[in-house]
Amino acid sequence: MQLRPNQRLKLDDTDDKLFYAYPRFVTHVDEGFIQQLTDLYRDRLKPNTRIFDMMSSWVSHLPEEIQFDHVEGHGLNGEELARNPRLNHYFVQNLNENPQLPLPNEDFDAVLNCVSVQYVQYPEAVFSEIYRILKPGGVAIISFSNRMFFEKAIQAWREASEAQRVELVKEYFASVPGFTTAEVIAHKSTLPNLLQWLGAAGGDPFYAVIAYRSQAK
């Protein structure tokens, strides 16, 4: 899988660091989405493990009752990351400028990315890095809804249907040898489109694409 150059384009091609320079202490999805994501984390993440929360914010949606050995955060706004109580450490880096993570090989049991995959311009490189830093048997959970900063999402995402976006993330995983076949959890919104657009409660669809780094070396 290789995105074409035009598929990587954003409507706003100014420096991402400028767009995210001002902290946004809001949640970008509704409570129903957040609950489903926390439940998924509760099911798939194990206590006393190492977690990398990629493209994170001031909240990670991790289950409060589960303690982890280390939660490493990453994002584009240091103020937001500093406010996140679950992070043991964090760093600021623009993955569209430099997708190589300053993290050791096979160091994390899980990599999480919540409602941010739509902004990644070089997913082939980023998903290779996710694979590199995962321990054998480690899990990657990519979650998203239908909301986005439209001007910052790549063209391949903007022009796709919700079902096509799921397939796109599956292709990102499939582009890296060594990931298991991606699993999909999809809960589509039952609200009419108009109510979804108006932001009615319970209107956000929930999608998660999950893959594991193969145990075999």
Side-chain angles (χ1 to χ4, degrees), residues 3-5 7-10 12-13 16 94-97 117-124 126 152-154 172:
L3 291 181
R4 299 186 302 276
Q7 291 181 297
R8 305 181 195 275
L9 296 178
K10 302 185 176 191
D12 176 1
D13 62 359
D16 290 338
N94 183 352
L95 297 181
N96 289 331
E97 286 184 353
V117 68
Q118 60 265 31
Y119 308 121
V120 176
Q121 290 179 285
Y122 301 96
E124 307 92 334
V126 169
K152 282 297 183 180
I154 65 169
Y172 293 167

Side-chain angles (χ1 to χ4, degrees), residues 27 32 35 48 77 86 97 108 133 146 151 155 164 171 185 214:
T27 52
Q35 185 61 58
N48 307 315
N77 188 282
R86 296 307 299 267
E97 286 184 353
F108 291 92
I133 67 172
N146 58 357
E151 65 273 33
Q155 179 178 302
Q164 289 169 335
E171 289 176 11
I185 297 173
S214 174

Side-chain angles (χ1 to χ4, degrees), residues 129-202:
E129 283 292 279
I130 292 173
Y131 179 84
R132 180 183 66 78
I133 67 172
L134 274 176
K135 298 175 183 179
V139 64
I141 302 175
I142 311 296
S143 59
F144 52 94
S145 187
N146 58 357
R147 299 199 204 184
M148 70 189 90
F149 295 122
F150 195 78
E151 65 273 33
K152 282 297 183 180
I154 65 169
Q155 179 178 302
W157 194 273
R158 295 194 314 269
E159 294 184 349
S161 66
E162 291 181 24
Q164 289 169 335
R165 290 167 183 166
V166 169
E167 292 303 313
L168 198 58
V169 179
K170 287 172 62 179
E171 289 176 11
Y172 293 167
F173 276 121
S175 73
V176 182
F179 274 120
T180 60
T181 301
E183 170 191 355
V184 175
I185 297 173
H187 297 146
K188 299 177 182 179
S189 175
T190 57
L191 289 181
N193 286 340
L194 178 60
L195 292 181
Q196 287 187 50
W197 294 331
L198 292 174

